[in-house]
Amino acid sequence: MTHFDLDENGIWLGRVWLPEAEGPAVVTCREGRVIDITAKAGATVRDICEMDDPAGYVAAAEGRDLGALADLLGADPADRTTMHFLAPTDLQAIKACGVTFARSMVERVIEEQAAGDPKRAETIRARIGTLIGDSLRNIKAGSDEAQKVKAALQAEGLWSQYLEVGIGPDAEVFTKSQPMSAVGYGAEIGILQISQWNNPEPEVVLLVNSRSDILGATLGNDVNLRDIEGRSALLLGKAKDNNASCAIGPMFRLFGKGFGMDDVRAMQLDLRVDGPEGYVLHGQSSMSEISRDPADLVRQTVGAHHQYPDGFVLFLGTLFAPTEDRDVPGEGFTHKTGDRVTISNSALGALANTVRYASDCVPWSFGAGALMKNLAARNLL
């Protein structure tokens, strides 16, 4: 498993599993050490996010040294008898934005036109490429230029609902997964056995409290089952929300100490897939090419029209949509079980997970009810 260091200038907030407590601890990382800062005042990540100054609280919080970061990164998340990283979210809703990069929007149109058939995708891809060329680079959703591209595609009979959310005025925001259901660093990440065309989606994930304050960011893998969603956008839930199909981590880097939203806007995410047969895929997703500003995506998610009393995390979408062939010419990339997926960024660290079938991943059993009972038993409520 990939090991990494967290920037010592960062203010980090996350969670680990404590075997002796049979539950989670809220932690930070300082000088390569993982520190348990769980307290009645901040028994959950949600509680800390609702404070007046979450970053200040985390930076000053006293705690117990749990060991070296490298040691926890090497632990097996499937083993409840060992300390290991969890997803850094707890009670927050897990939301995601789709089609926020105009160039990746084309791949969604192709998925839909191909009805989930990777063999047809290459022909459609060539047709669209000839039509619009490089006109999607740096295009802004809702602009006059975006409307011209939309009209050109529709004139060619390539209308798609993805055009509307990709370059129209309103963003696609959906529920990726349930609170407490995401997996963290090192865990297995799940795809459905019936899917024959799927890929990782490396994304920046924002941390937002109930007051709509954007507090920090981390990495996420919004696993995409392209054939299932391509058959019908109404199958989005089946394509996106499955056991272990959402990975977040390793920890949130809170804004402050020279790190903020402008850093998020300039981020480049690197992705590497190491297959069990020796296959290697490299990819990148550059936030500078996003068609909607991250702050606008947050505003479209929360407001007078929709509230989140426990806050939420928001996947910002990805530019990455692999088209190179893995096995069969013309069928592009798809996962194999055993793939090791690593998403990294110098400011946020790395998120590494191994692909399995969702039915073979550890079943999700520790939800909000279990968390409340556990914290009460530990006299933390």
Side-chain angles (χ1 to χ4, degrees):
M1 189 61 69
T2 301
H3 287 182
F4 61 91
D5 294 320
L6 293 177
D7 188 338
E8 292 186 3
N9 293 318
I11 303 172
W12 299 97
L13 178 61
R15 298 192 310 142
V16 301
W17 178 261
L18 289 181
E20 67 272 21
E22 297 184 330
V26 179
V27 299
T28 190
C29 186
R30 299 170 184 157
E31 299 180 347
R33 309 292 295 181
V34 178
I35 309 298
D36 179 1
I37 60 171
T38 314
K40 272 193 173 183
T44 64
V45 171
R46 180 267 178 200
D47 291 339
I48 293 174
C49 291
E50 294 303 310
M51 295 177 177
D52 291 336
D53 182 12
Y57 174 85
V58 172
E62 297 182 356
R64 175 171 63 109
D65 191 327
L66 297 179
L69 173 66
D71 291 340
L72 267 75
L73 294 174
D76 180 6
D79 184 357
R80 285 288 183 92
T81 68
T82 62
M83 192 183 308
H84 56 264
F85 272 103
L86 301 170
T89 61
D90 40 46
L91 298 179
Q92 295 87 356
I94 303 175
K95 308 294 287 188
C97 297
V99 207
T100 53
F101 290 80
R103 281 205 290 153
S104 67
M105 175 200 70
V106 172
E107 284 300 311
R108 299 294 177 268
V109 175
I110 290 168
E111 287 171 15
E112 187 176 55
Q113 293 290 321
D117 183 355
K119 294 179 181 178
R120 293 179 56 199
E122 185 62 30
T123 300
I124 300 169
R125 187 175 293 114
R127 179 185 170 195
I128 292 177
T130 300
L131 174 65
I132 64 175
D134 199 36
S135 63
L136 292 177
R137 182 174 293 276
N138 297 322
I139 198 171
K140 295 301 179 185
S143 66
D144 291 341
E145 181 185 10
Q147 291 306 306
K148 291 177 182 177
V149 171
K150 177 181 172 183
L153 289 169
Q154 289 175 330
E156 289 294 315
L158 292 171
W159 181 89
S160 167
Q161 54 210 326
Y162 292 110
L163 290 176
E164 184 59 44
V165 297
I167 54 182
D170 299 313
E172 176 191 17
V173 182
F174 60 92
T175 297
K176 166 61 182 178
S177 192
Q178 310 311 306
M180 302 283 295
S181 68
V183 299
Y185 179 92
E188 294 178 343
I189 190 166
I191 58 174
L192 293 187
Q193 196 160 358
I194 61 172
S195 174
Q196 302 301 310
W197 187 22
N198 47 69
N199 60 250
E201 291 196 343
E203 304 190 20
V204 174
V205 182
L206 295 181
L207 176 64
V208 186
N209 66 15
S210 67
R211 301 185 297 276
S212 306
D213 300 323
I214 306 173
L215 304 176
T218 190
L219 301 169
N221 188 348
D222 178 17
V223 180
N224 183 27
L225 307 185
R226 300 185 68 177
D227 47 356
I228 292 177
E229 185 179 352
R231 281 163 46 202
S232 170
L234 298 181
L235 293 174
L236 182 65
K238 190 177 187 67
K240 290 289 190 180
D241 188 5
N242 300 295
N243 182 48
S245 65
C246 176
I248 304 174
M251 304 176 74
F252 283 108
R253 184 171 183 176
L254 301 182
F255 291 160
K257 297 184 70 174
F259 178 69
M261 276 298 296
D262 284 342
D263 296 285
V264 170
R265 293 182 176 103
M267 279 183 175
Q268 177 173 289
L269 304 189
D270 294 308
L271 176 133
R272 178 180 172 119
V273 178
D274 291 278
E277 80 280 32
Y279 172 86
V280 177
L281 172 70
H282 293 280
Q284 293 180 332
S285 184
S286 177
M287 287 293 294
S288 66
E289 293 191 45
I290 197 167
S291 303
R292 303 180 189 274
D293 186 76
D296 179 59
L297 292 170
V298 171
R299 285 190 293 268
Q300 293 210 31
T301 303
V302 63
H305 62 288
H306 206 316
Q307 296 78 43
Y308 297 88
D310 294 314
F312 62 97
V313 298
L314 184 64
F315 282 73
L316 295 180
T318 186
L319 179 64
F320 180 72
T323 59
E324 67 179 64
D325 295 328
R326 181 170 190 172
D327 290 320
V328 180
E331 291 195 6
F333 170 88
T334 196
H335 270 309
K336 295 180 184 291
T337 56
D339 279 352
R340 183 172 295 174
V341 180
T342 304
I343 301 167
S344 60
N345 171 269
S346 59
L348 298 178
L351 174 64
N353 302 95
T354 301
V355 175
R356 303 290 183 205
Y357 291 129
S359 55
D360 293 334
C361 294
V362 176
W364 174 39
S365 60
F366 196 93
L371 175 63
M372 295 300 104
K373 291 177 182 178
N374 179 268
L375 294 176
R378 294 157 62 186
N379 196 33
L380 289 169
L381 291 183

